[in-house]
Amino acid sequence: MKIALIGYGKMGKEIEKIALSRGHEIVSIIDINNQEDFESDAFKSADVAIEFTNPMVAYNNYMKAFKAGVKLVSGSTGWLEEHGEEVRELCTEGGKTLFWSSNFSLGVAIFSAVNKYLAKIMNRFPAYDVTMSETHHIHKLDAPSGTAITLAEGILENLDRKDRWVKGTLQAPDGSVSGSAECAADELPVSSIREGEVPGIHSIRYDSEADSITITHDAKNRSGFALGAVLAAEYTAGKQGFLGMSDLFPFLKD
């Protein structure tokens, strides 16, 4: 398969390594200094482009890839609120293809399924209140993380006593803390920590007067995310529309 890379930071380099190990060819690498390559024949020859950048440029990257007629796999977060409806419509009605996920890790996919199942169980036990925390490296711009938001939405779908998620506390790289974990009874607070080079830790805690139940996913490195992105690219090459992890892993629909 011919793959183009959009974004060539640590994640892009890890994806390149795994894609090559699986027998794929990297035909184009686009980073901040060669944006004109979106219009190159090399980029247009790609079966799929894999995009990992940041919230400020992701949407424009999508538009450039769509214009070039290239299918897209993206793990960029922070663009959905402003552009989500437009991008989804381009894929469902405009013939474009985007496989998007806030997290491509197989472990996180499994964790997401466990999270939803636990929320279904806890729906019957109102004595337990639920909170979430996520920790990422200091370079991550959005807080809470896209993965945390996806996990929170999975809880809200299955826990009747919670109607919305809200931002909790934010511990900045310098150690200062802003925000508050205090919230209304029908709100799910999501707190964030930015420190070091942490790939990603997500913890969901159910707390009662009697005890606590906590589930945690702790990423050790970027390889799990990169492999998932390449698997998504292999899947997307023969598909069309707005795709996600529940298409790649049907157990997420259960």
PDB file of all heavy atoms in Angstrom, residues 25-48:
ATOM      1  N   GLU A  25       4.741   1.282   1.498  1.00  0.00           N
ATOM      2  CA  GLU A  25       5.656   2.267   0.937  1.00  0.00           C
ATOM      3  C   GLU A  25       5.227   3.673   1.364  1.00  0.00           C
ATOM      4  O   GLU A  25       4.050   4.009   1.285  1.00  0.00           O
ATOM      5  CB  GLU A  25       5.637   2.163  -0.598  1.00  0.00           C
ATOM      6  CG  GLU A  25       6.540   3.159  -1.306  1.00  0.00           C
ATOM      7  CD  GLU A  25       6.384   3.106  -2.823  1.00  0.00           C
ATOM      8  OE1 GLU A  25       5.570   2.272  -3.313  1.00  0.00           O
ATOM      9  OE2 GLU A  25       7.046   3.901  -3.503  1.00  0.00           O
ATOM     10  N   ILE A  26       6.175   4.458   1.840  1.00  0.00           N
ATOM     11  CA  ILE A  26       5.894   5.855   2.174  1.00  0.00           C
ATOM     12  C   ILE A  26       6.210   6.696   0.940  1.00  0.00           C
ATOM     13  O   ILE A  26       7.372   6.812   0.542  1.00  0.00           O
ATOM     14  CB  ILE A  26       6.732   6.337   3.375  1.00  0.00           C
ATOM     15  CG1 ILE A  26       6.533   5.409   4.582  1.00  0.00           C
ATOM     16  CG2 ILE A  26       6.368   7.776   3.726  1.00  0.00           C
ATOM     17  CD1 ILE A  26       5.118   5.342   5.109  1.00  0.00           C
ATOM     18  N   VAL A  27       5.183   7.269   0.313  1.00  0.00           N
ATOM     19  CA  VAL A  27       5.381   7.974  -0.955  1.00  0.00           C
ATOM     20  C   VAL A  27       5.500   9.480  -0.780  1.00  0.00           C
ATOM     21  O   VAL A  27       5.969  10.184  -1.687  1.00  0.00           O
ATOM     22  CB  VAL A  27       4.243   7.658  -1.955  1.00  0.00           C
ATOM     23  CG1 VAL A  27       4.263   6.178  -2.328  1.00  0.00           C
ATOM     24  CG2 VAL A  27       2.877   8.049  -1.379  1.00  0.00           C
ATOM     25  N   SER A  28       5.075  10.006   0.375  1.00  0.00           N
ATOM     26  CA  SER A  28       5.139  11.449   0.606  1.00  0.00           C
ATOM     27  C   SER A  28       5.128  11.711   2.105  1.00  0.00           C
ATOM     28  O   SER A  28       4.409  11.040   2.851  1.00  0.00           O
ATOM     29  CB  SER A  28       3.942  12.149  -0.055  1.00  0.00           C
ATOM     30  OG  SER A  28       3.957  13.528   0.199  1.00  0.00           O
ATOM     31  N   ILE A  29       5.939  12.668   2.535  1.00  0.00           N
ATOM     32  CA  ILE A  29       5.953  13.117   3.924  1.00  0.00           C
ATOM     33  C   ILE A  29       5.765  14.627   3.926  1.00  0.00           C
ATOM     34  O   ILE A  29       6.583  15.366   3.374  1.00  0.00           O
ATOM     35  CB  ILE A  29       7.264  12.743   4.642  1.00  0.00           C
ATOM     36  CG1 ILE A  29       7.439  11.213   4.694  1.00  0.00           C
ATOM     37  CG2 ILE A  29       7.276  13.328   6.055  1.00  0.00           C
ATOM     38  CD1 ILE A  29       8.776  10.765   5.265  1.00  0.00           C
ATOM     39  N   ILE A  30       4.664  15.081   4.509  1.00  0.00           N
ATOM     40  CA  ILE A  30       4.352  16.515   4.549  1.00  0.00           C
ATOM     41  C   ILE A  30       4.447  17.008   5.983  1.00  0.00           C
ATOM     42  O   ILE A  30       3.829  16.449   6.892  1.00  0.00           O
ATOM     43  CB  ILE A  30       2.951  16.792   3.980  1.00  0.00           C
ATOM     44  CG1 ILE A  30       2.899  16.416   2.492  1.00  0.00           C
ATOM     45  CG2 ILE A  30       2.586  18.266   4.167  1.00  0.00           C
ATOM     46  CD1 ILE A  30       1.547  16.610   1.853  1.00  0.00           C
ATOM     47  N   ASP A  31       5.244  18.043   6.169  1.00  0.00           N
ATOM     48  CA  ASP A  31       5.378  18.664   7.477  1.00  0.00           C
ATOM     49  C   ASP A  31       5.188  20.166   7.309  1.00  0.00           C
ATOM     50  O   ASP A  31       4.809  20.651   6.235  1.00  0.00           O
ATOM     51  CB  ASP A  31       6.736  18.310   8.099  1.00  0.00           C
ATOM     52  CG  ASP A  31       6.679  18.265   9.624  1.00  0.00           C
ATOM     53  OD1 ASP A  31       5.576  18.180  10.182  1.00  0.00           O
ATOM     54  OD2 ASP A  31       7.749  18.310  10.261  1.00  0.00           O
ATOM     55  N   ILE A  32       5.500  20.912   8.321  1.00  0.00           N
ATOM     56  CA  ILE A  32       5.210  22.340   8.313  1.00  0.00           C
ATOM     57  C   ILE A  32       5.929  23.101   7.202  1.00  0.00           C
ATOM     58  O   ILE A  32       5.460  24.128   6.725  1.00  0.00           O
ATOM     59  CB  ILE A  32       5.540  22.945   9.704  1.00  0.00           C
ATOM     60  CG1 ILE A  32       4.952  24.336   9.839  1.00  0.00           C
ATOM     61  CG2 ILE A  32       7.045  22.922   9.969  1.00  0.00           C
ATOM     62  CD1 ILE A  32       4.962  24.857  11.260  1.00  0.00           C
ATOM     63  N   ASN A  33       7.077  22.584   6.742  1.00  0.00           N
ATOM     64  CA  ASN A  33       7.918  23.331   5.797  1.00  0.00           C
ATOM     65  C   ASN A  33       7.672  23.002   4.323  1.00  0.00           C
ATOM     66  O   ASN A  33       8.304  23.601   3.456  1.00  0.00           O
ATOM     67  CB  ASN A  33       9.397  23.096   6.118  1.00  0.00           C
ATOM     68  CG  ASN A  33       9.767  23.613   7.496  1.00  0.00           C
ATOM     69  OD1 ASN A  33       9.314  24.679   7.891  1.00  0.00           O
ATOM     70  ND2 ASN A  33      10.563  22.853   8.231  1.00  0.00           N
ATOM     71  N   ASN A  34       6.783  22.057   4.035  1.00  0.00           N
ATOM     72  CA  ASN A  34       6.564  21.693   2.619  1.00  0.00           C
ATOM     73  C   ASN A  34       5.081  21.475   2.321  1.00  0.00           C
ATOM     74  O   ASN A  34       4.694  20.476   1.709  1.00  0.00           O
ATOM     75  CB  ASN A  34       7.385  20.451   2.239  1.00  0.00           C
ATOM     76  CG  ASN A  34       6.961  19.207   3.009  1.00  0.00           C
ATOM     77  OD1 ASN A  34       6.545  19.293   4.165  1.00  0.00           O
ATOM     78  ND2 ASN A  34       7.067  18.042   2.379  1.00  0.00           N
ATOM     79  N   GLN A  35       4.260  22.415   2.743  1.00  0.00           N
ATOM     80  CA  GLN A  35       2.813  22.316   2.560  1.00  0.00           C
ATOM     81  C   GLN A  35       2.411  22.244   1.085  1.00  0.00           C
ATOM     82  O   GLN A  35       1.355  21.702   0.751  1.00  0.00           O
ATOM     83  CB  GLN A  35       2.133  23.516   3.223  1.00  0.00           C
ATOM     84  CG  GLN A  35       2.221  23.526   4.740  1.00  0.00           C
ATOM     85  CD  GLN A  35       1.343  22.476   5.378  1.00  0.00           C
ATOM     86  OE1 GLN A  35       0.136  22.494   5.217  1.00  0.00           O
ATOM     87  NE2 GLN A  35       1.954  21.545   6.083  1.00  0.00           N
ATOM     88  N   GLU A  36       3.260  22.758   0.211  1.00  0.00           N
ATOM     89  CA  GLU A  36       2.942  22.722  -1.226  1.00  0.00           C
ATOM     90  C   GLU A  36       2.866  21.285  -1.753  1.00  0.00           C
ATOM     91  O   GLU A  36       2.276  21.032  -2.805  1.00  0.00           O
ATOM     92  CB  GLU A  36       3.980  23.515  -2.026  1.00  0.00           C
ATOM     93  CG  GLU A  36       5.377  22.929  -2.050  1.00  0.00           C
ATOM     94  CD  GLU A  36       6.231  23.264  -0.825  1.00  0.00           C
ATOM     95  OE1 GLU A  36       5.707  23.925   0.112  1.00  0.00           O
ATOM     96  OE2 GLU A  36       7.407  22.876  -0.807  1.00  0.00           O
ATOM     97  N   ASP A  37       3.436  20.327  -1.013  1.00  0.00           N
ATOM     98  CA  ASP A  37       3.448  18.933  -1.468  1.00  0.00           C
ATOM     99  C   ASP A  37       2.066  18.281  -1.428  1.00  0.00           C
ATOM    100  O   ASP A  37       1.891  17.184  -1.966  1.00  0.00           O
ATOM    101  CB  ASP A  37       4.441  18.110  -0.642  1.00  0.00           C
ATOM    102  CG  ASP A  37       5.879  18.342  -1.077  1.00  0.00           C
ATOM    103  OD1 ASP A  37       6.093  19.223  -1.929  1.00  0.00           O
ATOM    104  OD2 ASP A  37       6.782  17.653  -0.564  1.00  0.00           O
ATOM    105  N   PHE A  38       1.091  18.941  -0.806  1.00  0.00           N
ATOM    106  CA  PHE A  38      -0.286  18.435  -0.888  1.00  0.00           C
ATOM    107  C   PHE A  38      -0.746  18.366  -2.351  1.00  0.00           C
ATOM    108  O   PHE A  38      -1.636  17.578  -2.680  1.00  0.00           O
ATOM    109  CB  PHE A  38      -1.246  19.334  -0.097  1.00  0.00           C
ATOM    110  CG  PHE A  38      -1.347  19.007   1.360  1.00  0.00           C
ATOM    111  CD1 PHE A  38      -0.789  19.843   2.315  1.00  0.00           C
ATOM    112  CD2 PHE A  38      -2.007  17.871   1.792  1.00  0.00           C
ATOM    113  CE1 PHE A  38      -0.894  19.556   3.664  1.00  0.00           C
ATOM    114  CE2 PHE A  38      -2.120  17.564   3.143  1.00  0.00           C
ATOM    115  CZ  PHE A  38      -1.552  18.421   4.085  1.00  0.00           C
ATOM    116  N   GLU A  39      -0.168  19.193  -3.195  1.00  0.00           N
ATOM    117  CA  GLU A  39      -0.555  19.231  -4.601  1.00  0.00           C
ATOM    118  C   GLU A  39       0.381  18.414  -5.489  1.00  0.00           C
ATOM    119  O   GLU A  39       0.237  18.410  -6.718  1.00  0.00           O
ATOM    120  CB  GLU A  39      -0.586  20.690  -5.081  1.00  0.00           C
ATOM    121  CG  GLU A  39      -1.593  21.546  -4.317  1.00  0.00           C
ATOM    122  CD  GLU A  39      -1.593  22.991  -4.772  1.00  0.00           C
ATOM    123  OE1 GLU A  39      -0.941  23.305  -5.779  1.00  0.00           O
ATOM    124  OE2 GLU A  39      -2.258  23.813  -4.109  1.00  0.00           O
ATOM    125  N   SER A  40       1.318  17.697  -4.887  1.00  0.00           N
ATOM    126  CA  SER A  40       2.292  16.928  -5.668  1.00  0.00           C
ATOM    127  C   SER A  40       1.695  15.616  -6.166  1.00  0.00           C
ATOM    128  O   SER A  40       0.747  15.066  -5.579  1.00  0.00           O
ATOM    129  CB  SER A  40       3.528  16.624  -4.811  1.00  0.00           C
ATOM    130  OG  SER A  40       3.206  15.704  -3.779  1.00  0.00           O
ATOM    131  N   ASP A  41       2.259  15.105  -7.239  1.00  0.00           N
ATOM    132  CA  ASP A  41       1.828  13.815  -7.776  1.00  0.00           C
ATOM    133  C   ASP A  41       2.112  12.696  -6.782  1.00  0.00           C
ATOM    134  O   ASP A  41       1.347  11.721  -6.701  1.00  0.00           O
ATOM    135  CB  ASP A  41       2.544  13.531  -9.103  1.00  0.00           C
ATOM    136  CG  ASP A  41       2.069  14.452 -10.224  1.00  0.00           C
ATOM    137  OD1 ASP A  41       0.954  15.003 -10.114  1.00  0.00           O
ATOM    138  OD2 ASP A  41       2.822  14.615 -11.212  1.00  0.00           O
ATOM    139  N   ALA A  42       3.211  12.826  -6.041  1.00  0.00           N
ATOM    140  CA  ALA A  42       3.568  11.795  -5.060  1.00  0.00           C
ATOM    141  C   ALA A  42       2.478  11.674  -4.003  1.00  0.00           C
ATOM    142  O   ALA A  42       2.034  10.560  -3.671  1.00  0.00           O
ATOM    143  CB  ALA A  42       4.914  12.129  -4.412  1.00  0.00           C
ATOM    144  N   PHE A  43       2.019  12.815  -3.462  1.00  0.00           N
ATOM    145  CA  PHE A  43       0.962  12.769  -2.449  1.00  0.00           C
ATOM    146  C   PHE A  43      -0.323  12.211  -3.040  1.00  0.00           C
ATOM    147  O   PHE A  43      -0.991  11.360  -2.427  1.00  0.00           O
ATOM    148  CB  PHE A  43       0.718  14.159  -1.866  1.00  0.00           C
ATOM    149  CG  PHE A  43      -0.359  14.174  -0.810  1.00  0.00           C
ATOM    150  CD1 PHE A  43      -0.099  13.722   0.466  1.00  0.00           C
ATOM    151  CD2 PHE A  43      -1.642  14.624  -1.109  1.00  0.00           C
ATOM    152  CE1 PHE A  43      -1.102  13.711   1.441  1.00  0.00           C
ATOM    153  CE2 PHE A  43      -2.644  14.629  -0.152  1.00  0.00           C
ATOM    154  CZ  PHE A  43      -2.366  14.170   1.128  1.00  0.00           C
ATOM    155  N   LYS A  44      -0.675  12.656  -4.235  1.00  0.00           N
ATOM    156  CA  LYS A  44      -1.918  12.217  -4.864  1.00  0.00           C
ATOM    157  C   LYS A  44      -1.902  10.728  -5.208  1.00  0.00           C
ATOM    158  O   LYS A  44      -2.962  10.117  -5.387  1.00  0.00           O
ATOM    159  CB  LYS A  44      -2.182  13.040  -6.121  1.00  0.00           C
ATOM    160  CG  LYS A  44      -2.511  14.499  -5.845  1.00  0.00           C
ATOM    161  CD  LYS A  44      -2.664  15.305  -7.124  1.00  0.00           C
ATOM    162  CE  LYS A  44      -2.969  16.768  -6.837  1.00  0.00           C
ATOM    163  NZ  LYS A  44      -3.057  17.580  -8.071  1.00  0.00           N
ATOM    164  N   SER A  45      -0.704  10.127  -5.270  1.00  0.00           N
ATOM    165  CA  SER A  45      -0.601   8.697  -5.586  1.00  0.00           C
ATOM    166  C   SER A  45      -0.873   7.803  -4.379  1.00  0.00           C
ATOM    167  O   SER A  45      -1.010   6.582  -4.522  1.00  0.00           O
ATOM    168  CB  SER A  45       0.792   8.377  -6.136  1.00  0.00           C
ATOM    169  OG  SER A  45       1.773   8.381  -5.102  1.00  0.00           O
ATOM    170  N   ALA A  46      -0.968   8.398  -3.187  1.00  0.00           N
ATOM    171  CA  ALA A  46      -1.140   7.611  -1.962  1.00  0.00           C
ATOM    172  C   ALA A  46      -2.519   6.956  -1.909  1.00  0.00           C
ATOM    173  O   ALA A  46      -3.524   7.552  -2.299  1.00  0.00           O
ATOM    174  CB  ALA A  46      -0.936   8.499  -0.741  1.00  0.00           C
ATOM    175  N   ASP A  47      -2.548   5.715  -1.436  1.00  0.00           N
ATOM    176  CA  ASP A  47      -3.828   5.043  -1.185  1.00  0.00           C
ATOM    177  C   ASP A  47      -4.515   5.662   0.031  1.00  0.00           C
ATOM    178  O   ASP A  47      -5.735   5.804   0.063  1.00  0.00           O
ATOM    179  CB  ASP A  47      -3.598   3.553  -0.944  1.00  0.00           C
ATOM    180  CG  ASP A  47      -2.998   2.862  -2.152  1.00  0.00           C
ATOM    181  OD1 ASP A  47      -3.603   2.945  -3.241  1.00  0.00           O
ATOM    182  OD2 ASP A  47      -1.924   2.248  -2.010  1.00  0.00           O
ATOM    183  N   VAL A  48      -3.713   6.004   1.026  1.00  0.00           N
ATOM    184  CA  VAL A  48      -4.209   6.598   2.273  1.00  0.00           C
ATOM    185  C   VAL A  48      -3.133   7.537   2.818  1.00  0.00           C
ATOM    186  O   VAL A  48      -1.938   7.245   2.706  1.00  0.00           O
ATOM    187  CB  VAL A  48      -4.513   5.517   3.345  1.00  0.00           C
ATOM    188  CG1 VAL A  48      -5.115   6.164   4.600  1.00  0.00           C
ATOM    189  CG2 VAL A  48      -5.457   4.456   2.822  1.00  0.00           C
TER     190      VAL A  48
END
